[in-house]
Amino acid sequence: MSIRSYVGIRKPSLLLVHPELPAFTYWRPQITSLSTLGITRNHGSRITLITRSQYPVADRTSVSSSRDASVSKPDTAHLRRKQGGSSSLYSRPSLLEMKNERIANRAKVYDFLRGLGIVPDELDGLELPVTVEVMQERIDFLHSLGLTIEDINNYPLVLGCSVKKNMIPVLDYLGKLGVRKSTFTEFLRRYPQVLHASVVVDLAPVVKYLQGLDIKPNDIPRVLERYPEVLGFKLEGTMSTSVAYLVGIGVGRREVGVVLTRYPEILGMRVGRVIKPFVEYLESLGIPRLAIAKLIEKKPHILGFGLEERVKPNVESLLEFHVRKGALPLVVAQYPEIIGIDLKPKLLGQHNLLNSIIDSSPEDFGSIVEKMPQVVSVSNSAITKHVDFLKNCGFSLQQTRKMVVGCPQVLALNLDIMKLIFDYFQKEMKRPLDDLVAFPAFFTYGLESTIKPRHKMILKRGLKCSLSWFLNCSDEKFEERMKYDTIDLDEMDTVPSLDMNSLMERSDESASEYEEDSDDEYV
C-alpha cells in the first residue's frame, strides 16, 4: 500500500513559492503521472488538486551552494578592501597613497623653506611644487631678480608662481613696454602680485587704458616704474572717477596726461575720501577752485599730502608763527610743499636762527615766511653766509634786517652773482646804500639782461628815479616810461607785489628753486 501526499487548495489561482529557493535559481518541478491526479466528483464546487513536488537532493545541494556563494563573495570583497588589496576594481588604495605622498612632500617643502628662513604659514591651501627641487628653482629665480628672503616673507604667495608660466611672461611683457630691468627689484617689492597676473587679461588692458588718458607711450614705462600698483586697478573704478573729478574742477583735459605722468598715484586715490576733501580744504583757506586746479597741474604731488596728518597741522603752525590768515593762499600757492613737510621744527629752527643773526621779531619772521615760504627749507649755512655778505657790504644790522624782511630772497640767491650786481651798483651807478635798503629786490634782477640796459637808458634820458621805478615793471611798461617828460610820483616807490593770478602763471622752475632741503648753499 503506497502513501501519497495530498494538498488541498480551495483557490487554484494561488501561487506556491518555495521560501528557500533563490530568486535566480532555475528549478523544474516534477509532476506525478495522471494516474496519481484525481478529481473528486462527489464534492460539487470544491476542487481538490493532488500534486506531488519532487526534486533531487543534488539539486537542493546545488541551490544551497549557490546561495552560500552569493553571500560569501561580497564578504570576501569587503575583506579585501579592508585589507588594502589591489585586485578589486572598486578599491581606492592609490588615491590614499597619493594623498599621503602629497602630505609628505609638502612637509619636506616646508622644512626646506624654514631652513632658508622663510615662514610658510601663509602657504596653507596654496598649490605648491611637489618637490623641493622645483621650489629651489623658484627661489633662485627670485634671488636673480634681486629679491631677498625678507622680500619673500613679505609676500610668500609669490612662491605659488611658476617660473615658466607666470614670472617669465610677465617680466618679458614689462621689458617690452620699456620698464628698465634695473627697476624690476623695486617694482616687485612694491607690487609682487603682478607675477600672478595674466598679460592678456590683466596687464595689457590697463596699459591701453593709460594710453587713452593721453599718457604718451614713451612715458608708460616711467609711470609703471613709479606706481606699479596701477596694474592691479579696475578700469572703470577709482581711475576713471579721479580723472573725471580733476577735469570737473578745472584741470585742463590736455593736461591730464602730463599730470598723471608726473604723479600717477592719483589713479589710486578715492575722490570722496582723498581728492575732494583736499580741494575743499584749500578752498576754505581762500584759494579759488580754478587756482587749485592750476596748482594741481603744476604740482600734482600735493594731492598726496595727508590732509589730517600734515596739511591741517601745518596750516595751524603757520598761523602760530605769525603768518596772517589772509596771506595763507599766497603762501601755499608760492610753495605748495610747505603744507606737506614736517613743518613745525623747520619754522622753529629758522625763527631762532634769524632772531640770533639779525635780531628779527616774531612778526618779522611771519612777514618773511609770507613773502618767501621757501625760507623754511633754506639751509642754515646759506642764510648765515648771505647775512654776512650784506654786513660786509657795509649795511648795518638794522639795515640788513630791513632788507631781509623786505625781500627774503636775498637769503637764497647766488652769492657770486650778488657780488657782481653790488659791484656794478657801487662803481657804475654810484648810488647810496639806502637805495638798496629801500629796494633789496634789486639783487633779484639780471645784471646783463635788465639792470645794465635800463640804467643806460635812464642816464641817456637824464632821469632821476628810484630803483623800483625803472626795474619793477615789464619791458613794455619801461619803454612807455621812457617817453615821460616827468616822473609820476605815484609810481616812484612801487613795491613789488604778488597776486594769485601771477603765481598760477609762474613756471615750475621758479618754485622748484628752493624745493630741496639740504645743507648745501642755494644757488
Side-chain angles (χ1 to χ4, degrees):
M1 182 176 180
S2 62
I3 299 175
R4 298 180 181 178
S5 173
Y6 297 92
V7 179
I9 305 176
R10 291 182 180 275
K11 294 183 180 181
S13 60
L14 184 62
L15 178 63
L16 296 177
V17 179
H18 196 288
E20 295 184 356
L21 293 180
F24 298 101
T25 302
Y26 177 76
W27 171 66
R28 179 179 298 173
Q30 297 181 1
I31 309 299
T32 59
S33 63
L34 292 176
S35 60
T36 63
L37 180 61
I39 300 176
T40 307
R41 299 176 184 269
N42 298 329
H43 291 85
S45 63
R46 192 180 75 172
I47 300 174
T48 303
L49 179 61
I50 304 170
T51 62
R52 186 180 181 183
S53 300
Q54 298 178 350
Y55 54 88
V57 175
D59 290 343
R60 292 199 302 269
T61 305
S62 175
V63 171
S64 177
S65 300
S66 176
R67 182 171 60 84
D68 294 341
S70 66
V71 176
S72 64
K73 286 183 179 179
D75 293 341
T76 304
H78 175 72
L79 182 60
R80 289 175 179 172
R81 285 199 301 268
K82 189 173 182 181
Q83 294 175 348
S86 60
S87 62
S88 173
L89 295 176
Y90 300 98
S91 62
R92 296 184 179 179
S94 58
L95 297 178
L96 180 60
E97 289 175 355
M98 290 173 62
K99 179 179 179 181
N100 292 334
E101 185 177 358
R102 283 197 300 269
I103 294 174
N105 286 336
R106 195 178 190 91
K108 292 179 181 179
V109 171
Y110 276 21
D111 289 341
F112 168 72
L113 294 175
R114 290 190 183 96
L116 296 176
I118 298 174
V119 181
D121 296 347
E122 296 183 26
L123 302 178
D124 293 341
L126 184 68
E127 185 177 351
L128 294 178
V130 295
T131 64
V132 171
E133 289 74 16
V134 177
M135 181 59 76
Q136 179 71 65
E137 178 189 5
R138 293 186 183 183
I139 294 175
D140 290 344
F141 187 79
L142 293 173
H143 282 331
S144 71
L145 297 174
L147 299 182
T148 64
I149 296 298
E150 182 180 358
D151 295 328
I152 296 175
N153 274 328
N154 289 334
Y155 188 72
L157 297 181
V158 73
L159 297 176
C161 296
S162 168
V163 173
K164 295 181 179 179
K165 295 180 180 179
N166 300 107
M167 300 185 190
I168 291 179
V170 167
L171 295 176
D172 282 348
Y173 177 72
L174 294 176
K176 291 178 181 178
L177 287 177
V179 177
R180 295 166 294 179
K181 290 185 178 180
S182 60
T183 67
F184 278 178
T185 301
E186 186 61 27
F187 192 105
L188 294 176
R189 281 175 180 163
R190 290 188 56 180
Y191 188 60
Q193 296 90 334
V194 71
L195 295 178
H196 293 287
S198 164
V199 171
V200 175
V201 177
D202 302 318
L203 305 185
V206 173
V207 171
K208 184 177 180 181
Y209 182 82
L210 294 177
Q211 292 174 341
L213 295 175
D214 294 334
I215 298 178
K216 298 178 181 179
N218 291 339
D219 291 329
I220 293 291
R222 305 294 87 83
V223 169
L224 297 181
E225 290 174 3
R226 180 184 177 101
Y227 192 50
E229 293 89 343
V230 72
L231 291 172
F233 294 154
K234 294 181 179 180
L235 303 184
E236 300 303 325
T238 304
M239 289 196 293
S240 60
T241 55
S242 59
V243 171
Y245 180 82
L246 292 179
V247 173
I249 66 172
V251 173
R253 186 62 185 86
R254 294 182 179 180
E255 299 298 321
V256 169
V258 177
V259 169
L260 296 179
T261 300
R262 291 178 176 175
Y263 195 66
E265 288 87 346
I266 291 174
L267 293 169
M269 293 180 177
R270 295 187 178 275
V271 172
R273 296 181 182 178
V274 180
I275 303 178
K276 189 171 182 287
F278 182 85
V279 171
E280 291 178 347
Y281 181 73
L282 292 187
E283 281 187 292
S284 71
L285 297 180
I287 305 177
R289 176 166 288 200
L290 185 57
I292 297 172
K294 297 301 180 184
L295 197 59
I296 292 173
E297 288 180 5
K298 295 179 180 181
K299 304 283 185 179
H301 62 275
I302 65 175
L303 290 173
F305 297 159
L307 181 59
E308 301 296 333
E309 301 82 4
R310 284 290 189 195
V311 178
K312 290 183 178 180
N314 283 355
V315 169
E316 293 298 322
S317 295
L318 289 171
L319 296 174
E320 181 183 343
F321 280 84
H322 298 277
V323 172
R324 295 169 299 166
K325 187 175 182 179
L328 288 175
L330 288 177
V331 170
V332 175
Q334 288 183 82
Y335 189 48
E337 285 75 12
I338 200 169
I339 59 174
I341 60 178
D342 188 10
L343 181 59
K344 192 165 186 176
K346 291 179 178 291
L347 288 170
L348 182 61
Q350 302 300 63
H351 173 267
N352 292 338
L353 174 65
L354 290 172
N355 181 49
S356 65
I357 61 178
I358 62 172
D359 196 23
S360 62
S361 67
E363 290 74 20
D364 289 338
F365 182 71
S367 178
I368 290 172
V369 174
E370 290 177 9
K371 294 174 181 177
M372 193 186 81
Q374 296 91 340
V375 71
V376 299
S377 295
V378 179
S379 67
N380 290 353
S381 60
I383 291 176
T384 302
K385 288 179 181 179
H386 284 75
V387 169
D388 290 342
F389 166 75
L390 294 176
K391 290 179 178 180
N392 293 334
C393 289
F395 297 104
S396 66
L397 177 62
Q398 182 179 359
Q399 289 176 320
T400 300
R401 180 175 64 252
K402 186 176 180 180
M403 293 176 71
V404 170
V405 174
C407 182
Q409 286 77 10
V410 297
L411 296 175
L413 297 172
N414 186 297
L415 275 175
D416 292 333
I417 294 177
M418 290 182 72
K419 290 176 182 178
L420 292 175
I421 292 175
F422 184 72
D423 288 343
Y424 183 82
F425 175 82
Q426 274 192 318
K427 296 176 181 179
E428 301 296 331
M429 300 181 71
K430 298 179 180 180
R431 300 177 71 123
L433 292 180
D434 286 341
D435 286 358
L436 285 179
V437 175
F439 189 68
F442 179 81
F443 287 105
T444 66
Y445 291 90
L447 179 60
E448 300 296 334
S449 62
T450 305
I451 296 176
K452 283 185 177 181
R454 291 191 181 187
H455 177 244
K456 291 179 180 179
M457 290 290 292
I458 293 294
L459 292 178
K460 186 176 180 181
R461 291 294 311 276
L463 296 173
K464 299 273 184 190
C465 61
S466 68
L467 297 177
S468 173
W469 187 85
F470 82 89
L471 287 177
N472 187 33
C473 60
S474 64
D475 290 339
E476 292 77 10
K477 183 66 174 177
F478 178 75
E479 290 179 2
E480 182 181 342
R481 287 178 175 179
M482 290 300 96
K483 298 176 183 179
Y484 292 173
D485 293 330
T486 59
I487 297 175
D488 189 346
L489 294 178
D490 292 338
E491 295 182 324
M492 284 291 291
D493 297 318
T494 302
V495 178
S497 61
L498 293 173
D499 62 83
M500 187 64 64
N501 292 330
S502 64
L503 284 172
M504 290 299 102
E505 294 173 358
R506 292 172 67 189
S507 64
D508 287 342
E509 287 73 17
S510 62
S512 62
E513 180 181 359
Y514 308 99
E515 287 180 11
E516 297 296 330
D517 182 14
S518 66
D519 290 333
D520 297 331
E521 181 176 341
Y522 279 76
V523 295

